[in-house]
Amino acid sequence: MKVGILGGGQLGQMLAQAAKRLDIETVVLDPAEDAVAGQVTRHLAADWTDPAALQELAATDVVTYEFENVPAAAVEKLVADVPVHPAPEALVKSGDRIIEKNLFNALGIETAPFAQVDDRDDLDRAIETIGLPAILKTRRFGYDGKGQVVLRSADDVETALEAIGGQPAILEGFVPFDREVSVLAARGRDGELKYWPATENVHVDGILHISRAPAAEVSDALLAEAVRGLEAVMAHLDYVGVLVVEFFQVGERLVANEMACRVHNSGHWTIEGAASSQFENQIRAVAGLPLGETAVSGFAAMVNLIGEVPSLEALEGRDDVFLHVYGKTPREGRKLGHVTVVAESRAALEAKLEEVLAVVGDRAKPS
Ligand code: AMP
């Protein structure tokens, strides 16, 4: 069995590592010469539409991806020759915030109020119906808080429009959330579904800082409601693989923000914190294997290493702290690694997390 992966960043790296443990071969396609998945598996350093590279991927048993902005032309070429999971339609739906929110709403999943904004008139009208504060986001290619700007008063309109540079956009009502929560699920080729406990996420400057799982204060009923939503999306897309939906929690409501049709940063804790990781189940799902159990026995937290990798010596050799350094070239705002810590109680987890943050730095606290 051989799995082709579009994208060779850290997600591709961890997918390849999970595949290896299942005795499954991988090959990644990523135009970047230094794509870090290449450190652990065969890497085709070629353009997305390079015929020879696509031919090699087409010769695998199944192709999946870890990067959503793969040109449609490349995916179209592949689907003619090899199964591609999740199906390309999922990329289309998740790649555009308006299409995505319309899908959520059609499936009974609550979102913030939103409106399409293509010009100044649209924005004025949208502000009238949605009110302020609100967030103007580009419809496509936004990630880690990029391509979005908060509007607090009518005075912000001009600068907001300038900031997104005339790209097709969406205005979203500002959700006064208590916390951010993501829910990850995997769906097999036979429609079998497994999900992990909800994860609570803290972002700093739009980039994920800490994930904790299972999220506190997400009742079974609330998680069941979220999973019902994911299940509906997956059934609609005849989805195979891991899907994550990021929600804002407002009291006992979950308001969907966005989804990613791939493994996700907020699920990295599953490597050590759950019986099977998101990476293992992504590989299992696309390869047509039965999904692994997603149960957790304790508590886990993950901290991202952003921009630089500090000395981690003080955390080495522990059986409750796991260091993941991806081998990427340091750059401001870049995800270079993560640290996961596990514990038997929530209180113990918080104490250990403090120890980890003392070593790696707490981006939530100004230094
Ligand atoms: P996104 O790129 O949509 O994931 O947004 C990045 C971050 O901005 C989110 O994780 C939230 O912290 C914040 N954010 C985005 N949209 C909203 C919203 N409609 N209301 C409140 N906060 C938001």
Side-chain angles (χ1 to χ4, degrees), residues 97 101 112-113 134-135 137 142-146 148 172-177 180 203 206-207 246 248 257-258:
R97 293 185 189 274
K101 283 193 170 54
I135 306 194
K137 301 179 180 179
Y143 68 97
D144 287 349
K146 292 192 175 71
Q148 56 179 273
E172 291 180 20
F174 191 88
V175 180
F177 58 81
E180 295 185 78
H203 293 85
I207 304 178
E246 294 184 75
F248 301 123
N257 177 29
E258 60 183 358

Side-chain angles (χ1 to χ4, degrees), residues 117 136-138 147-149 159-170:
V117 173
L136 187 67
K137 301 179 180 179
T138 54
Q148 56 179 273
V149 47
T159 36
L161 279 172
E162 255 167 52
I164 62 147
Q167 296 181 70
I170 176 174

Side-chain angles (χ1 to χ4, degrees), residues 111-124:
T111 62
F114 65 95
Q116 185 170 332
V117 173
D118 293 325
D119 55 32
R120 169 80 204 237
D121 284 349
D122 287 345
L123 183 54
D124 288 338

